[in-house]
Amino acid sequence: MTNISNGRRWLGLLAILAATLMNLLDATVVNVAAPSILADLHGSYADLQWIAAGYTLALAVGLLVGGRLGDMFGRRRMLLLGVVGFVAASLLCAAAWSPGALIAARVVQGLFGAVMIPQGFGLIRDLFGPADLGKAFGAFGPAIGLSTILGPIVAGALVDADVFGTGWRMVFGINLPLGAFALLVGLRTLPAGRAAVAVRRLDLTGALLAGAGMFLLVYPLMQGREAGWPGWTWAMLAASAVVLGLFAAHQLRRKATGGTPLVELSVFAKRSYTSGALFVLVFFGAIVGFSLSVGLFLQLGQGRSPIGASVAMSAWAIGAFLGSGFSAGAMAKLGRRILHLGLAVMAVGLVLLYAAFDDRGMGIGGWSLSVPLLVYGAGMGMIFVPLFDVIMGEIADHEVGSAAGILESIQQLGSSLGVAALGTVFFTTIGASAAFLPAVQRVTLIALALTVVAFGLAFALPRRARQGHAPAQAPAEAAPREPALV
């Protein structure tokens, strides 16, 4: 670190930020571009769900091994490889000729994202060292927050502008300049570092079992509605429990024989951590599924343009940005109570929104839409910053890296399940009569119920956040949490 000039350090941080923004943008653009994609590619509602969930599901599986790859082959190498693969997959998304081609490209995007994302925190630490790490994250966090606000608006403007007749395809093409910057600057500024020798073999069997189990869980939820819920959907759901059980047994056996497991299952022996994992699953499932439904209601139901829907939803992101700033200063004093406060504020926002839907119907807009979304986003933002640190409050030092990685993977799985479950409720309610208002009302009530469930789960979490123990090889979750409006 002493051999890295100050200017080079900050350029390296910008390269890492560019890579992070690519992931963040591609996790949000589907809300904006989905109706245009659906019309252009003549896809089904299930296709639309898969375009969103295929990315997060691949990310959930890939994150189990992404951090290990950085340990084995070096963080800079893996980040730059992830950037190249992510940009290539983005160009495939932009060139997609059918829903299936786009879904496949999104899965590839998610897998390369899982290679790219976990390397960021370690590289920032290598660049700045413990003494200046706070300064780096002090600049990194607000940049991510602002991009969350502006990203969907830019995506909506690109779709509306129809640049060179590309329509929705340009929202994926924007990754080309970002990726080129991350690659060229990263090659010159990021420290090469050394590969760790502790991890000699990757647990590919474990990764395949985890991936199969997650797929068996999400696929029937996504396809069951269009297929009429035949017997195979229930068989797949049952099989997912069996396969995930086999994954757990494989991890225990690998640990017992001296191998390096993908995850340290010992963390689940702590009730607080298990409750935290359930909290993450419920919380992110609720906000991601609800976000997708509201975005579709604004465009498909109300007929807003992509930029119009993005601007209407921007109050949500602004609220999340403000809430994150509040919790960053209050988490040390409030501890676990900040989660309850955030969830209570979210519930108020949902009640206000449901009342507006009921009072104004399809004509909801202006302040009647913006104020509830701002309130809901503020409560959500209060939870992002302290959540993982609170959940890991009772985790031993040697388990922190694995515990954080598991939570990040569960977060992405929860996002996929939210798209599958709440999206299915939304599209089922719409039916042949295009009942968009009852559909978004029903999803709002489900999101409120899930928020109440999360409120109850939060009582089982540690009272105080973990202090002073940064993960040794932490994936993206170790960095400041950003609002994730998928």
Side-chain angles (χ1 to χ4, degrees), residues 7 9 27 82 115-116 119 124 132 151 161 186 193 232 235 256 259-260 279 306 309-310 318 374 412:
R9 289 193 301 173
V115 173
M116 174 178 68
Q119 320 310 330
I124 294 174
D132 296 322
W232 61 262
T260 304
F279 182 101
S310 297
I318 292 171
L374 182 72
Q412 301 301 331

Side-chain angles (χ1 to χ4, degrees), residues 24 144-145 148 279-280 283-288 291 316-317 319-328 331 338-339 342-343 346 376-391 408 411-412 415 476-486:
L24 181 60
I144 291 177
T148 304
F279 182 101
V280 168
F283 176 73
F284 283 96
I287 63 173
V288 172
S291 171
W316 184 339
F321 183 62
L322 297 174
S324 297
F326 170 80
S327 66
M331 62 180 289
I338 192 70
L339 304 183
L343 289 165
M346 288 173 64
Y376 183 78
M380 186 180 71
M382 292 179 194
I383 296 171
F384 279 133
V385 173
L387 178 57
F388 280 22
D389 285 337
V390 169
I391 292 173
E408 181 70 15
Q411 174 189 333
Q412 301 301 331
S415 298
E477 67 280 0
R481 307 298 303 164
E482 70 273 9
L485 302 183
V486 181

Side-chain angles (χ1 to χ4, degrees), residues 14 24 29 53 110 112 117 128 136 146 150 157 170 186 193 205 239 260 273 280 304 324 347 378 398 421 445 447 452:
L14 288 176
L24 181 60
V29 295
F112 276 105
I117 297 166
F128 289 88
L146 288 173
L150 297 176
M170 188 56 72
T205 301
T260 304
Y273 183 84
V280 168
R304 296 182 188 234
S324 297
H398 71 279
L445 288 177
V452 173

Side-chain angles (χ1 to χ4, degrees), residues 298-368:
L298 293 175
Q299 289 194 60
L300 297 178
Q302 291 191 324
R304 296 182 188 234
S305 67
I307 184 63
S310 297
V311 171
M313 294 273 291
S314 64
W316 184 339
I318 292 171
F321 183 62
L322 297 174
S324 297
F326 170 80
S327 66
M331 62 180 289
K333 180 179 180 181
L334 295 179
R336 184 181 69 190
R337 287 175 293 175
I338 192 70
L339 304 183
H340 283 122
L341 177 61
L343 289 165
V345 173
M346 288 173 64
V348 170
L350 289 170
V351 170
L352 291 174
L353 190 61
Y354 185 84
F357 282 137
D358 192 51
D359 181 49
R360 294 176 178 266
M362 291 290 289
I364 183 174
W367 291 109
S368 60

